[in-house]
Amino acid sequence: MIDKIILDSISNAVVTVPGVVSFANFAAKTEAEIKTEDISKAVELTTADNTDRVKVHIVLINGVNIRDVVNEVQIRVKYELEKVSQFVRNYIVDVAVDDLIVV
């Protein structure tokens, strides 16, 4: 179970990035299950020593510059998580684009 403070920090960082439609359920078995509002289904966390590796699964709008959006998500999530931990923990942030939605 991932700490609610960590999930809230990730959620607040990601929802402000232009081009992100929603979080993606990494355990989805069908296309209909991919989009989720439940961030706990979209974040994977592994811990080693004083470094945490976070993988955030998202859905993007088709036509955005994927590299720019993913980079922005990485920067914002890393900063927010390090700020919450008062910069005593290091975070590696991976972003997985699980789907593209045509708007």
Side-chain angles (χ1 to χ4, degrees):
M1 185 69 186
I2 302 173
D3 188 1
K4 181 173 174 13
I5 295 169
I6 291 174
L7 292 176
D8 287 346
S9 296
I10 293 170
S11 178
N12 292 338
V14 172
V15 296
T16 60
V17 178
V20 177
V21 175
S22 74
F23 292 101
N25 179 358
F26 62 83
K29 302 283 187 249
T30 66
E31 190 175 328
E33 296 174 349
I34 292 176
K35 282 176 71 173
T36 183
E37 297 300 318
D38 184 358
I39 188 171
S40 66
K41 294 179 179 178
V43 175
E44 299 174 87
L45 179 68
T46 53
T47 303
D49 298 326
N50 71 336
T51 301
D52 290 335
R53 183 174 209 117
V54 177
K55 187 170 188 179
V56 182
H57 296 261
I58 57 175
V59 177
L60 299 181
I61 297 171
N62 191 27
V64 298
N65 185 321
I66 295 171
R67 182 184 301 157
D68 288 350
V69 174
V70 166
N71 189 37
E72 189 64 27
V73 169
Q74 283 178 311
I75 290 168
R76 291 185 190 195
V77 168
K78 180 175 173 56
Y79 174 74
E80 290 299 324
L81 291 176
E82 289 177 350
K83 188 170 80 172
V84 164
S85 72
Q86 297 176 333
F87 300 98
V88 294
R89 295 197 62 78
N90 295 319
Y91 288 89
I92 298 170
V93 179
D94 297 319
V95 180
V97 178
D98 290 13
D99 201 5
L100 297 172
I101 302 289
V102 178
V103 180

XYZ file of all heavy atoms in Angstrom:
801
model
N 0.852 -1.195 0.000
C 0.000 0.000 0.000
C 0.890 1.248 0.000
O 1.772 1.384 0.841
C -0.893 -0.049 1.246
C -1.900 1.039 1.316
S -3.160 0.795 0.046
C -4.070 2.283 0.235
N 0.630 2.129 -0.928
C 1.413 3.358 -1.051
C 0.776 4.443 -0.178
O -0.446 4.589 -0.133
C 1.479 3.815 -2.522
C 2.096 2.712 -3.392
C 2.277 5.104 -2.660
C 2.060 3.000 -4.870
N 1.615 5.194 0.513
C 1.185 6.267 1.397
C 0.310 7.282 0.655
O 0.612 7.685 -0.465
C 2.432 6.955 1.953
C 2.126 7.960 3.036
O 0.941 8.135 3.384
O 3.083 8.562 3.547
N -0.799 7.691 1.280
C -1.731 8.640 0.663
C -1.052 9.972 0.334
O -1.369 10.593 -0.667
C -2.929 8.854 1.584
C -3.960 9.802 0.997
C -5.200 9.869 1.840
C -6.230 10.878 1.417
N -6.143 11.495 0.137
N -0.116 10.407 1.150
C 0.582 11.670 0.900
C 1.362 11.589 -0.414
O 1.367 12.529 -1.208
C 1.512 12.028 2.079
C 0.678 12.301 3.333
C 2.394 13.219 1.741
C 1.490 12.407 4.603
N 2.007 10.449 -0.647
C 2.749 10.256 -1.903
C 1.793 10.253 -3.088
O 2.037 10.923 -4.093
C 3.576 8.950 -1.845
C 4.720 9.111 -0.850
C 4.097 8.562 -3.226
C 5.523 7.862 -0.600
N 0.689 9.521 -2.965
C -0.289 9.468 -4.062
C -0.881 10.843 -4.346
O -1.039 11.229 -5.503
C -1.396 8.460 -3.742
C -0.985 6.993 -3.718
C -2.148 6.122 -3.295
C -0.429 6.552 -5.054
N -1.206 11.587 -3.304
C -1.760 12.937 -3.485
C -0.740 13.855 -4.172
O -1.107 14.644 -5.048
C -2.190 13.543 -2.152
C -3.462 12.909 -1.602
O -4.155 12.201 -2.358
O -3.747 13.128 -0.405
N 0.513 13.750 -3.791
C 1.557 14.574 -4.407
C 1.691 14.257 -5.890
O 1.810 15.158 -6.720
C 2.901 14.347 -3.719
O 2.848 14.771 -2.392
N 1.677 12.969 -6.214
C 1.774 12.564 -7.629
C 0.563 13.060 -8.390
O 0.681 13.629 -9.472
C 1.913 11.032 -7.739
C 3.249 10.581 -7.153
C 1.778 10.587 -9.197
C 3.393 9.076 -6.992
N -0.609 12.860 -7.821
C -1.848 13.295 -8.484
C -1.842 14.795 -8.751
O -2.134 15.241 -9.859
C -3.054 12.934 -7.618
O -4.245 13.379 -8.207
N -1.484 15.584 -7.739
C -1.466 17.042 -7.896
C -0.451 17.491 -8.938
O -0.671 18.480 -9.637
C -1.183 17.715 -6.553
C -2.317 17.538 -5.575
O -3.455 17.280 -5.951
N -2.005 17.638 -4.289
N 0.663 16.778 -9.041
C 1.684 17.144 -10.024
C 1.242 16.788 -11.444
O 1.474 17.543 -12.380
C 2.999 16.447 -9.691
N 0.598 15.641 -11.607
C 0.271 15.148 -12.946
C -0.938 15.848 -13.553
O -0.945 16.150 -14.747
C 0.056 13.611 -12.926
C -0.472 13.110 -14.251
C 1.358 12.914 -12.564
N -1.967 16.131 -12.747
C -3.193 16.699 -13.314
C -2.985 18.089 -13.906
O -3.796 18.534 -14.719
C -4.363 16.739 -12.293
C -4.764 15.341 -11.877
C -4.032 17.601 -11.093
N -1.901 18.754 -13.548
C -1.658 20.092 -14.076
C -0.860 20.086 -15.384
O -0.651 21.134 -15.979
C -0.892 20.945 -13.048
O 0.368 20.318 -12.771
C -1.685 21.097 -11.763
N -0.426 18.910 -15.832
C 0.386 18.833 -17.057
C -0.534 18.791 -18.273
O -1.362 17.885 -18.402
C 1.302 17.586 -17.042
C 2.104 17.496 -18.326
C 2.233 17.619 -15.841
N -0.406 19.767 -19.185
C -1.227 19.773 -20.391
C -0.948 18.532 -21.248
O 0.195 18.145 -21.421
C -0.792 21.039 -21.136
C -0.098 21.879 -20.109
C 0.482 20.919 -19.109
N -2.011 17.923 -21.744
C -1.870 16.752 -22.602
C -2.198 15.453 -21.910
O -2.430 14.436 -22.553
N -2.219 15.468 -20.574
C -2.560 14.263 -19.823
C -4.078 14.202 -19.656
O -4.683 15.126 -19.135
C -1.875 14.232 -18.440
C -2.310 13.000 -17.653
C -0.368 14.281 -18.582
N -4.687 13.104 -20.121
C -6.134 12.936 -20.022
C -6.519 12.356 -18.671
O -7.425 12.836 -18.009
C -6.659 12.011 -21.145
C -8.142 11.725 -20.985
C -6.366 12.605 -22.499
N -5.818 11.296 -18.275
C -6.128 10.642 -17.003
C -4.981 9.723 -16.616
O -4.013 9.568 -17.349
C -7.424 9.832 -17.091
O -7.209 8.653 -17.838
N -5.151 9.097 -15.469
C -4.225 8.052 -15.074
C -4.643 6.768 -15.770
O -5.773 6.632 -16.208
C -4.246 7.869 -13.546
C -3.675 9.042 -12.814
C -4.500 9.979 -12.226
C -2.308 9.224 -12.740
C -3.975 11.078 -11.571
C -1.764 10.312 -12.083
C -2.605 11.246 -11.500
N -3.710 5.805 -15.860
C -3.995 4.531 -16.506
C -3.820 3.398 -15.503
O -2.851 3.365 -14.755
C -3.068 4.319 -17.697
N -4.759 2.480 -15.518
C -4.710 1.302 -14.660
C -3.690 0.329 -15.240
O -3.910 -0.248 -16.301
C -6.100 0.676 -14.594
C -6.156 -0.575 -13.751
O -5.148 -1.038 -13.224
N -7.346 -1.131 -13.633
N -2.562 0.140 -14.545
C -1.509 -0.720 -15.091
C -1.883 -2.198 -15.078
O -1.248 -3.000 -15.745
C -0.165 -0.494 -14.387
C -0.144 -0.795 -12.919
C 0.035 -2.079 -12.454
C -0.282 0.235 -11.994
C 0.077 -2.347 -11.094
C -0.240 -0.026 -10.630
C -0.062 -1.318 -10.190
N -2.935 -2.567 -14.355
C -3.368 -3.964 -14.307
C -4.570 -4.223 -15.214
O -5.176 -5.286 -15.144
C -3.705 -4.347 -12.875
N -4.897 -3.272 -16.074
C -6.074 -3.408 -16.943
C -5.939 -4.605 -17.869
O -4.891 -4.843 -18.452
C -6.276 -2.135 -17.747
N -7.032 -5.335 -18.002
C -7.061 -6.495 -18.898
C -7.722 -6.164 -20.237
O -7.488 -6.826 -21.229
C -7.820 -7.659 -18.242
C -7.229 -8.094 -16.918
C -5.982 -8.933 -17.109
C -5.496 -9.502 -15.804
N -4.247 -8.941 -15.346
N -8.571 -5.133 -20.235
C -9.245 -4.725 -21.468
C -9.050 -3.228 -21.669
O -8.699 -2.495 -20.740
C -10.762 -5.010 -21.405
O -11.349 -4.179 -20.394
C -11.044 -6.479 -21.103
N -9.308 -2.782 -22.893
C -9.157 -1.360 -23.212
C -10.094 -0.491 -22.373
O -9.744 0.624 -21.991
C -9.435 -1.141 -24.703
C -9.066 0.237 -25.178
C -9.244 0.401 -26.687
O -9.063 -0.563 -27.427
O -9.574 1.535 -27.090
N -11.263 -1.006 -22.059
C -12.246 -0.247 -21.281
C -11.781 0.015 -19.852
O -12.246 0.953 -19.209
C -13.579 -0.984 -21.267
N -10.864 -0.797 -19.351
C -10.391 -0.651 -17.968
C -9.169 0.252 -17.841
O -8.704 0.492 -16.728
C -10.024 -2.034 -17.398
C -11.163 -2.999 -17.279
C -10.709 -4.381 -16.847
O -9.494 -4.656 -16.831
O -11.572 -5.202 -16.536
N -8.623 0.759 -18.944
C -7.364 1.506 -18.888
C -7.500 2.826 -18.135
O -6.747 3.087 -17.204
C -6.781 1.733 -20.299
C -6.323 0.392 -20.874
C -5.605 2.711 -20.252
C -5.824 0.462 -22.303
N -8.448 3.679 -18.527
C -8.603 4.970 -17.850
C -9.119 4.762 -16.437
O -10.043 3.993 -16.217
C -9.573 5.872 -18.611
C -8.974 6.523 -19.832
C -9.976 7.327 -20.624
C -10.389 8.581 -19.912
N -11.222 9.461 -20.720
N -8.492 5.445 -15.471
C -8.936 5.324 -14.073
C -8.770 6.655 -13.355
O -7.878 7.425 -13.653
C -8.150 4.219 -13.334
O -8.678 4.111 -12.011
C -6.662 4.508 -13.249
N -9.656 6.879 -12.420
C -9.541 8.040 -11.534
C -8.828 7.635 -10.247
O -8.423 8.482 -9.462
C -10.930 8.608 -11.213
C -11.677 9.140 -12.429
C -10.943 10.278 -13.128
O -10.396 11.158 -12.437
O -10.903 10.259 -14.372
N -8.697 6.333 -10.020
C -8.061 5.802 -8.809
C -6.551 5.756 -9.012
O -6.024 4.865 -9.668
C -8.611 4.409 -8.508
C -8.059 3.832 -7.216
O -7.215 4.504 -6.566
O -8.462 2.713 -6.855
N -5.856 6.737 -8.442
C -4.413 6.854 -8.671
C -3.640 5.656 -8.127
O -2.578 5.312 -8.635
C -3.866 8.175 -8.095
C -2.409 8.353 -8.512
C -4.045 8.230 -6.606
C -1.815 9.673 -8.201
N -4.183 4.975 -7.120
C -3.463 3.819 -6.569
C -3.332 2.692 -7.592
O -2.450 1.847 -7.481
C -4.147 3.306 -5.302
O -5.425 2.791 -5.600
N -4.196 2.688 -8.619
C -4.093 1.693 -9.687
C -3.132 2.142 -10.790
O -2.872 1.390 -11.722
C -5.476 1.442 -10.301
C -6.453 0.804 -9.349
C -7.792 0.601 -10.007
C -8.770 -0.060 -9.051
N -10.089 -0.230 -9.656
N -2.622 3.368 -10.687
C -1.778 3.930 -11.742
C -0.338 4.154 -11.312
O 0.479 4.596 -12.101
C -2.375 5.255 -12.224
N -0.017 3.856 -10.060
C 1.327 4.126 -9.552
C 1.938 2.850 -8.986
O 1.306 2.160 -8.185
C 1.298 5.218 -8.455
C 2.674 5.421 -7.848
C 0.771 6.526 -9.024
N 3.165 2.564 -9.412
C 3.929 1.450 -8.853
C 5.117 2.051 -8.115
O 5.732 2.992 -8.598
C 4.422 0.525 -9.957
C 3.304 -0.119 -10.772
C 3.845 -0.905 -11.941
O 4.161 -2.090 -11.752
O 3.960 -0.319 -13.033
N 5.447 1.499 -6.961
C 6.534 2.042 -6.141
C 7.429 0.915 -5.656
O 6.951 -0.075 -5.114
C 5.949 2.793 -4.936
C 6.929 3.415 -3.951
C 7.674 4.571 -4.589
C 6.203 3.881 -2.705
N 8.735 1.072 -5.885
C 9.713 0.134 -5.326
C 10.734 0.948 -4.546
O 11.095 2.060 -4.941
C 10.416 -0.690 -6.423
O 10.954 0.196 -7.403
C 9.463 -1.646 -7.097
N 11.179 0.391 -3.437
C 12.083 1.108 -2.546
C 13.383 0.337 -2.361
O 13.361 -0.872 -2.205
C 11.415 1.307 -1.172
O 10.193 2.003 -1.363
C 12.293 2.086 -0.232
N 14.506 1.071 -2.371
C 15.821 0.498 -2.074
C 16.644 1.556 -1.349
O 16.837 2.649 -1.869
C 16.514 0.067 -3.360
N 17.115 1.231 -0.152
C 17.898 2.163 0.667
C 17.181 3.500 0.805
O 16.084 3.550 1.310
C 19.312 2.323 0.107
C 20.085 1.007 0.132
O 19.864 0.227 1.071
O 20.880 0.767 -0.789
N 17.784 4.590 0.308
C 17.112 5.891 0.413
C 16.632 6.380 -0.951
O 16.438 7.569 -1.161
C 18.012 6.942 1.081
C 19.153 7.372 0.190
O 19.570 6.639 -0.708
N 19.648 8.566 0.416
N 16.425 5.441 -1.878
C 15.919 5.798 -3.205
C 14.629 5.041 -3.480
O 14.554 3.837 -3.283
C 16.947 5.451 -4.297
O 18.157 6.163 -4.023
C 16.443 5.844 -5.672
N 13.621 5.763 -3.917
C 12.355 5.149 -4.319
C 12.223 5.279 -5.829
O 12.547 6.322 -6.399
C 11.164 5.856 -3.663
C 11.086 5.600 -2.166
O 11.602 4.559 -1.719
O 10.513 6.435 -1.458
N 11.744 4.226 -6.453
C 11.487 4.270 -7.891
C 9.970 4.255 -8.075
O 9.295 3.349 -7.606
C 12.132 3.082 -8.598
C 11.944 3.137 -10.086
C 12.718 2.040 -10.814
N 13.040 2.542 -12.133
C 14.265 2.731 -12.567
N 15.295 2.456 -11.817
N 14.465 3.198 -13.785
N 9.475 5.285 -8.736
C 8.044 5.448 -8.944
C 7.761 5.311 -10.443
O 8.448 5.919 -11.260
C 7.575 6.850 -8.474
C 6.106 7.053 -8.746
C 7.886 7.053 -7.008
N 6.752 4.511 -10.763
C 6.323 4.394 -12.165
C 4.878 4.864 -12.233
O 4.006 4.316 -11.559
C 6.443 2.955 -12.653
C 6.167 2.803 -14.134
C 6.534 1.415 -14.615
C 6.448 1.319 -16.126
N 6.823 -0.036 -16.575
N 4.651 5.917 -13.019
C 3.328 6.512 -13.146
C 2.780 6.165 -14.531
O 3.436 6.417 -15.544
C 3.389 8.054 -12.985
C 1.992 8.647 -13.079
C 4.050 8.437 -11.674
N 1.582 5.595 -14.562
C 0.936 5.218 -15.816
C -0.106 6.281 -16.163
O -0.961 6.614 -15.336
C 0.257 3.850 -15.674
C 1.230 2.743 -15.420
N 1.668 1.914 -16.410
C 1.857 2.336 -14.279
C 2.523 1.028 -15.905
N 2.654 1.276 -14.605
N -0.022 6.800 -17.408
C -0.929 7.875 -17.810
C -1.519 7.609 -19.193
O -1.022 6.778 -19.958
C -0.219 9.248 -17.816
C 1.011 9.226 -18.739
C 0.138 9.680 -16.402
C 1.706 10.568 -18.891
N -2.585 8.361 -19.500
C -3.217 8.368 -20.814
C -3.078 9.784 -21.359
O -3.358 10.756 -20.657
C -4.710 7.982 -20.728
C -5.376 8.053 -22.091
C -4.865 6.587 -20.120
N -2.628 9.899 -22.607
C -2.410 11.213 -23.218
C -3.399 11.487 -24.343
O -3.991 10.568 -24.909
C -0.995 11.297 -23.796
C 0.178 11.134 -22.834
C 1.495 11.274 -23.585
C 0.096 12.140 -21.708
N -3.516 12.762 -24.687
C -4.283 13.177 -25.857
C -3.429 12.897 -27.090
O -2.236 13.217 -27.108
C -4.617 14.688 -25.795
C -5.497 14.997 -24.602
C -5.259 15.159 -27.089
C -5.690 16.483 -24.349
N -4.032 12.296 -28.101
C -3.317 12.034 -29.341
C -2.925 13.364 -29.995
O -3.716 14.289 -30.042
C -4.198 11.219 -30.293
C -3.423 10.692 -31.477
O -2.213 10.480 -31.394
N -4.113 10.476 -32.574
N -1.686 13.457 -30.446
C -1.227 14.657 -31.124
C -0.293 15.512 -30.295
O 0.342 16.420 -30.820
N -0.181 15.246 -28.997
C 0.755 16.009 -28.174
C 2.169 15.479 -28.401
O 2.356 14.365 -28.885
C 0.424 15.939 -26.661
C -0.936 16.526 -26.372
C 0.538 14.524 -26.133
N 3.150 16.284 -28.056
C 4.538 15.830 -28.129
C 4.773 14.943 -26.907
O 4.915 15.435 -25.787
C 5.486 17.027 -28.139
C 6.922 16.623 -28.333
O 7.376 15.619 -27.808
N 7.646 17.423 -29.100
N 4.792 13.645 -27.138
C 4.863 12.681 -26.045
C 6.106 12.891 -25.195
O 6.041 12.884 -23.966
C 4.787 11.234 -26.586
C 3.419 11.002 -27.218
C 5.048 10.219 -25.470
C 3.296 9.696 -27.968
N 7.243 13.110 -25.835
C 8.488 13.296 -25.090
C 8.391 14.494 -24.151
O 8.804 14.415 -22.998
C 9.663 13.479 -26.041
C 10.992 13.620 -25.288
C 12.159 13.901 -26.191
N 12.334 12.845 -27.164
C 12.950 13.000 -28.323
N 13.451 14.167 -28.654
N 13.091 11.998 -29.154
N 7.843 15.611 -24.640
C 7.719 16.809 -23.799
C 6.783 16.584 -22.619
O 7.075 17.006 -21.492
C 7.216 17.996 -24.625
C 8.272 18.535 -25.585
O 9.449 18.126 -25.478
O 7.908 19.366 -26.441
N 5.647 15.929 -22.857
C 4.672 15.696 -21.782
C 5.261 14.750 -20.735
O 5.173 15.003 -19.537
C 3.341 15.147 -22.347
C 2.393 14.769 -21.213
C 2.689 16.171 -23.266
N 5.890 13.663 -21.190
C 6.491 12.700 -20.256
C 7.595 13.366 -19.441
O 7.679 13.178 -18.223
C 7.014 11.468 -21.018
C 7.923 10.615 -20.150
C 5.849 10.642 -21.548
N 8.417 14.174 -20.095
C 9.484 14.884 -19.396
C 8.910 15.821 -18.330
O 9.414 15.886 -17.204
C 10.334 15.657 -20.413
C 11.572 16.241 -19.793
O 12.189 15.636 -18.934
N 11.949 17.433 -20.243
N 7.858 16.534 -18.661
C 7.230 17.454 -17.712
C 6.642 16.692 -16.523
O 6.775 17.123 -15.377
C 6.150 18.285 -18.409
C 5.588 19.403 -17.569
C 6.609 20.481 -17.212
O 7.589 20.688 -17.951
O 6.417 21.120 -16.161
N 5.991 15.556 -16.785
C 5.444 14.729 -15.703
C 6.576 14.259 -14.788
O 6.478 14.349 -13.560
C 4.647 13.528 -16.260
C 4.313 12.531 -15.149
C 3.371 13.999 -16.950
N 7.675 13.797 -15.376
C 8.817 13.333 -14.581
C 9.353 14.433 -13.672
O 9.573 14.220 -12.477
C 9.954 12.851 -15.484
C 9.736 11.490 -16.074
C 10.885 11.103 -16.986
O 11.292 11.878 -17.847
N 11.395 9.903 -16.788
N 9.572 15.600 -14.235
C 10.133 16.724 -13.475
C 9.216 17.110 -12.318
O 9.659 17.262 -11.182
C 10.378 17.935 -14.404
C 11.529 17.634 -15.361
C 10.654 19.202 -13.592
C 11.653 18.644 -16.506
N 7.919 17.261 -12.613
C 6.978 17.709 -11.574
C 6.802 16.666 -10.469
O 6.782 17.014 -9.285
C 5.622 18.046 -12.196
C 5.666 19.283 -13.060
C 4.298 19.660 -13.554
N 4.355 20.700 -14.573
C 3.314 21.403 -14.969
N 2.126 21.169 -14.446
N 3.444 22.321 -15.896
N 6.670 15.397 -10.859
C 6.470 14.344 -9.861
C 7.708 14.213 -8.981
O 7.613 14.148 -7.755
C 6.113 12.997 -10.536
C 6.187 11.845 -9.540
C 4.728 13.071 -11.166
N 8.882 14.197 -9.585
C 10.131 14.079 -8.815
C 10.258 15.225 -7.807
O 10.533 15.001 -6.633
C 11.334 14.062 -9.769
C 12.679 13.941 -9.065
C 13.800 13.819 -10.082
C 15.171 13.863 -9.490
N 15.462 12.889 -8.456
N 10.012 16.438 -8.265
C 10.126 17.597 -7.377
C 9.124 17.511 -6.219
O 9.495 17.719 -5.060
C 9.921 18.902 -8.153
C 9.881 20.099 -7.240
C 11.057 20.590 -6.661
C 8.682 20.705 -6.903
C 11.024 21.669 -5.786
C 8.636 21.777 -6.031
C 9.807 22.256 -5.473
O 9.773 23.311 -4.593
N 7.872 17.208 -6.530
C 6.845 17.163 -5.481
C 7.129 16.074 -4.454
O 6.953 16.279 -3.254
C 5.451 16.966 -6.091
C 4.940 18.171 -6.847
C 4.805 19.423 -5.980
O 4.443 19.306 -4.792
O 5.073 20.528 -6.484
N 7.591 14.901 -4.912
C 7.898 13.817 -3.979
C 9.092 14.162 -3.101
O 9.082 13.883 -1.895
C 8.151 12.509 -4.733
C 6.927 11.888 -5.395
C 7.333 10.667 -6.188
C 5.855 11.547 -4.373
N 10.112 14.761 -3.692
C 11.285 15.141 -2.901
C 10.940 16.248 -1.910
O 11.460 16.280 -0.798
C 12.446 15.509 -3.816
C 13.016 14.272 -4.504
C 14.128 14.556 -5.489
O 14.370 15.736 -5.822
O 14.750 13.579 -5.942
N 10.035 17.138 -2.309
C 9.609 18.208 -1.409
C 8.851 17.622 -0.215
O 9.082 18.024 0.928
C 8.728 19.207 -2.169
C 8.390 20.457 -1.388
C 7.744 21.508 -2.257
C 6.287 21.190 -2.450
N 5.532 22.248 -3.120
N 7.982 16.659 -0.451
C 7.225 16.015 0.619
C 8.159 15.307 1.593
O 7.951 15.332 2.799
C 6.191 15.018 0.039
C 5.672 14.064 1.091
C 5.043 15.767 -0.594
N 9.222 14.693 1.071
C 10.162 13.971 1.941
C 11.242 14.908 2.502
O 12.211 14.451 3.090
C 10.824 12.830 1.175
O 11.745 13.334 0.233
N 11.058 16.198 2.274
C 11.991 17.238 2.730
C 13.397 16.988 2.182
O 14.400 17.241 2.835
C 11.978 17.334 4.255
C 10.624 17.747 4.760
C 10.538 17.766 6.271
O 11.248 17.053 6.958
N 9.631 18.583 6.775
N 13.434 16.472 0.963
C 14.670 16.276 0.191
C 15.670 15.318 0.850
O 16.856 15.387 0.584
C 15.322 17.624 -0.151
C 14.406 18.496 -0.960
C 13.645 19.486 -0.346
C 14.278 18.320 -2.337
C 12.781 20.284 -1.089
C 13.418 19.116 -3.076
C 12.670 20.095 -2.460
N 15.189 14.404 1.709
C 16.081 13.408 2.294
C 16.028 12.080 1.535
O 16.883 11.235 1.706
C 15.788 13.154 3.798
C 16.095 14.390 4.614
C 14.366 12.685 4.003
N 15.023 11.900 0.680
C 14.928 10.706 -0.153
C 15.116 11.107 -1.609
O 14.774 12.205 -2.004
C 13.570 10.019 0.004
C 13.348 9.474 1.412
C 12.235 8.471 1.489
N 12.452 7.279 0.685
C 13.255 6.264 1.022
N 13.950 6.328 2.117
N 13.355 5.208 0.254
N 15.668 10.179 -2.378
C 15.816 10.394 -3.816
C 14.734 9.612 -4.535
O 14.383 8.502 -4.126
C 17.195 9.904 -4.294
C 18.309 10.713 -3.690
O 18.219 11.929 -3.585
N 19.365 10.034 -3.279
N 14.239 10.172 -5.611
C 13.197 9.505 -6.390
C 13.629 9.383 -7.837
O 14.159 10.325 -8.424
C 11.878 10.290 -6.315
C 11.209 10.177 -4.972
C 11.496 11.070 -3.949
C 10.302 9.158 -4.720
C 10.898 10.958 -2.706
C 9.699 9.036 -3.479
C 9.995 9.937 -2.482
O 9.401 9.817 -1.256
N 13.395 8.214 -8.390
C 13.550 7.987 -9.825
C 12.126 7.841 -10.342
O 11.357 7.009 -9.850
C 14.365 6.712 -10.112
C 15.765 6.852 -9.533
C 14.397 6.426 -11.610
C 16.571 5.568 -9.556
N 11.767 8.657 -11.327
C 10.399 8.650 -11.829
C 10.386 8.127 -13.261
O 11.032 8.684 -14.145
C 9.773 10.060 -11.771
C 8.364 10.045 -12.329
C 9.788 10.595 -10.342
N 9.643 7.047 -13.463
C 9.405 6.512 -14.797
C 7.959 6.815 -15.155
O 7.067 6.746 -14.294
C 9.616 4.991 -14.827
C 11.047 4.598 -14.500
O 11.973 5.278 -14.987
O 11.240 3.621 -13.755
N 7.731 7.148 -16.417
C 6.381 7.433 -16.873
C 6.047 6.481 -18.010
O 6.799 6.370 -18.965
C 6.242 8.898 -17.352
C 4.832 9.170 -17.824
C 6.626 9.868 -16.231
N 4.922 5.798 -17.876
C 4.451 4.887 -18.919
C 3.195 5.465 -19.550
O 2.228 5.793 -18.850
C 4.145 3.514 -18.325
N 3.226 5.627 -20.872
C 2.045 6.086 -21.605
C 1.312 4.836 -22.046
O 1.770 4.122 -22.951
C 2.431 6.973 -22.809
C 1.177 7.394 -23.568
C 3.206 8.188 -22.341
N 0.192 4.549 -21.401
C -0.525 3.310 -21.669
C -1.538 3.429 -22.806
O -1.965 2.415 -23.350
C -1.254 2.840 -20.396
C -0.286 2.362 -19.327
O 0.940 2.621 -19.467
O -0.730 1.738 -18.358
N -1.944 4.656 -23.149
C -2.919 4.827 -24.220
C -2.893 6.272 -24.715
O -2.442 7.170 -24.011
C -4.327 4.483 -23.701
C -5.309 4.149 -24.818
O -4.902 4.090 -25.990
O -6.504 3.947 -24.500
N -3.369 6.446 -25.943
C -3.575 7.768 -26.526
C -5.057 7.896 -26.870
O -5.638 6.977 -27.437
C -2.736 7.954 -27.796
C -1.220 7.913 -27.630
C -0.547 7.907 -28.983
C -0.750 9.107 -26.821
N -5.651 9.020 -26.531
C -7.068 9.242 -26.778
C -7.214 10.346 -27.837
O -6.595 11.393 -27.724
C -7.795 9.698 -25.482
C -7.626 8.676 -24.372
C -9.257 9.995 -25.744
C -8.364 7.387 -24.552
N -8.051 10.093 -28.837
C -8.342 11.107 -29.847
C -9.507 11.960 -29.311
O -10.543 11.438 -28.952
C -8.745 10.466 -31.200
C -9.100 11.550 -32.210
C -7.622 9.600 -31.707
N -9.270 13.278 -29.239
C -10.301 14.176 -28.704
C -10.991 14.887 -29.837
O -10.396 15.296 -30.785
C -9.672 15.196 -27.727
C -10.744 16.134 -27.184
C -8.983 14.474 -26.597
